[in-house]
Amino acid sequence: MKVGDRQYRTIWVAGDGRTVEIIDQTELPHEFVTRRLTTLEDAAAAIREMRVRGAPLIGATAAYGVCLALQDDASDRRLDTARQTLLATRPTAVNLRWALDDMAARLKPLAPAARVDAAYARAAEICDDDVAVSRAIGEHGARLIDEAWAKGGREAPVNLLTHCNAGWLATIDWGTALAAVYVAHDAGVPVHVWVNETRPRNQGAGLTAWELGRHGVPHTVIVDSAGGHLMQRGKVDLCITGTDRTTARGDVCNKIGTYLKALAAGDNGVPFYVALPHTSIDWSLDDGVAGVPIEERDPAEVTTVVGRADDGSIVAVRVTPEGSAAANFAFDVTPARLVTGLITERGVCPASREGLLSLYPERGGDAGPQMAAPGNDDKTG
Ligand code: MRU
């Protein structure tokens, strides 16, 4: 996507062919800052501190983290260390494990001398694939938006509600939920987006609003608890969110608060769609509520809010009394029964095992009854 007059992806290799650059999302929406990652630890810290975030981008950053790790030592041992270090950064998005497994499977059979170039080539491929996949998700999702517009007589704008940031900042480009918005908007479908602020880190207020604003998409930021009210008043035509891990039977784990939006949508007959690339599907897991590791982050993200003061400085202010305990669960699971459909790069399907297998028949052997809960062995957070 364009920022100013320059086309950006969220992660890229610098001119030296080795250093990796990212957009530092902790600085948005107030500053647009890029940073260089030169070591494995830089990549791990960028994921941990959420300088990069969003499931597909976490996976891509981990792939480049492997590249950086191998530069001066491409041994099996170093490869294993890189995997462990990166896997321990954030536990919920399955794209992280997917990317690390993919890199290991391709690099391990090679002689160490061939690994560095192969690692950079594969990481670049993961990024290019993600762009193509996101764009395809956008095309499929935009059809649903167009149908909603047609249902309303192609007069009033389609009112969408989204949660967190599932836009281009969360992927390499385009996004997942927001890719549908961009494709529809670019095709002339009038869209207005209700943007949940997404406490505690405000990815909606800070990142989604920033993205939509730059793309010229009409949007309104609302507090997280406003969605139910808007749905009762008929002000939401459809909800589209992203996901960090979708199980083989279609349970969806996404940013905390997604489940409550799905409940409100169900109660009000508002379609609730979830957009995802194949890299966000955990074929080894069925029951998302029991099986997905939910990240718990620093309670300070709940007790304080970060923003820009009138004098331009970035400040953190406390919103709770000293001494009150706070808990910071970063994700929740929406059971498949509350999801109207999954929007993937291969099309839209019901949120069910049968639905997913109709689009990914090659996974038929993997998506059987729950296996030995490998979804839990990355419970590192
Ligand atoms: O904690 P975050 O900001 O990494 O959480 C991101 C989300 O919950 C997104 O909705 C999800 O990763 C899908 S991104 C296309």
Side-chain angles (χ1 to χ4, degrees):
M1 290 283 171
K2 267 190 155 175
V3 180
D5 53 7
R6 208 186 128 176
Q7 194 74 29
Y8 276 92
R9 286 184 172 188
T10 51
I11 189 165
W12 65 96
V13 176
D16 63 10
R18 287 291 181 254
T19 313
V20 175
E21 294 203 61
I22 58 163
I23 298 167
D24 186 344
Q25 299 189 26
T26 62
E27 303 277 357
L28 288 171
H30 309 296
E31 303 285 344
F32 184 83
V33 176
T34 63
R35 290 201 193 281
R36 288 195 163 206
L37 312 178
T38 55
T39 63
L40 164 64
E41 191 38 50
D42 285 351
I47 299 172
R48 205 182 305 117
E49 293 160 11
M50 294 178 65
R51 297 185 190 284
V52 290
R53 29 80 37 214
L57 179 56
I58 289 172
T61 308
Y64 276 118
V66 172
C67 301
L68 296 171
L70 297 185
Q71 285 184 100
D72 40 10
D73 173 4
S75 64
D76 278 8
R77 203 162 143 202
R78 182 70 172 151
L79 202 49
D80 291 342
T81 306
R83 185 177 194 283
Q84 288 316 319
T85 303
L86 291 159
L87 203 53
T89 52
R90 297 191 71 191
T92 302
V94 77
N95 308 59
L96 177 65
R97 190 181 74 197
W98 176 86
L100 291 169
D101 286 351
D102 180 279
M103 293 294 281
R106 285 163 196 267
L107 299 178
K108 277 256 166 90
L110 303 180
R115 285 179 179 167
V116 175
D117 286 348
Y120 276 95
R122 180 55 189 158
E125 216 167 57
I126 287 175
C127 290
D128 289 346
D129 286 352
D130 189 72
V131 176
V133 159
S134 294
R135 171 75 207 193
I137 291 169
E139 301 283 346
H140 295 299
R143 273 197 282 280
L144 296 172
I145 297 175
D146 187 53
E147 279 166 28
W149 190 39
K151 207 172 150 196
R154 295 198 190 277
E155 281 170 13
V158 179
N159 282 296
L160 265 122
L161 182 140
T162 193
H163 193 61
C164 194
N165 172 262
W168 71 271
L169 289 170
T171 61
I172 307 305
D173 204 351
W174 286 100
T176 58
L178 293 193
V181 171
Y182 294 136
V183 173
H185 172 86
D186 292 353
V189 178
V191 187
H192 166 262
V193 184
W194 296 109
V195 178
N196 287 333
E197 62 178 348
T198 319
R199 274 282 283 149
R201 290 185 64 101
N202 291 318
Q203 290 95 326
L207 304 179
T208 297
W210 183 81
E211 275 194 30
L212 291 173
R214 300 199 83 86
H215 204 89
V217 179
H219 62 280
T220 307
V221 179
I222 52 174
V223 295
D224 289 326
S225 36
H229 166 73
L230 292 172
M231 291 185 219
Q232 283 177 328
R233 297 288 165 106
K235 292 182 186 297
V236 181
D237 297 306
L238 74 163
C239 303
I240 310 183
T241 73
T243 168
D244 287 79
R245 192 183 297 226
T246 296
T247 71
R249 73 175 189 195
D251 292 347
V252 167
C253 180
N254 191 49
K255 181 54 55 192
I256 191 80
T258 304
Y259 172 46
L260 291 177
K261 299 300 166 292
L263 281 173
D267 195 42
N268 290 283
V270 175
F272 187 92
Y273 286 96
V274 177
L276 62 137
H278 67 94
T279 50
S280 297
I281 305 172
D282 186 345
W283 293 100
S284 70
L285 197 61
D286 260 347
D287 183 345
V289 175
V292 178
I294 301 293
E295 179 179 19
E296 288 182 48
R297 295 184 60 82
D298 188 342
E301 293 179 351
V302 174
T303 58
T304 56
V305 173
V306 178
R308 177 175 242 171
D310 286 346
D311 67 2
S313 60
I314 303 298
V315 290
V317 293
R318 190 172 178 99
V319 291
T320 60
E322 295 285 349
S324 288
N328 189 3
F329 301 98
F331 297 93
D332 61 24
V333 175
T334 300
R337 66 174 183 280
L338 297 174
V339 179
T340 309
L342 301 173
I343 308 168
T344 79
E345 72 277 9
R346 293 192 185 175
V348 182
C349 71
S352 64
R353 176 188 318 283
E354 298 70 30
L356 281 168
L357 287 178
S358 72
L359 295 181
Y360 302 95
E362 72 275 18
R363 303 311 296 248
D366 310 347
Q370 189 151 351
M371 296 189 285
N376 282 342
D377 63 18
D378 50 1
K379 205 170 197 160
T380 46

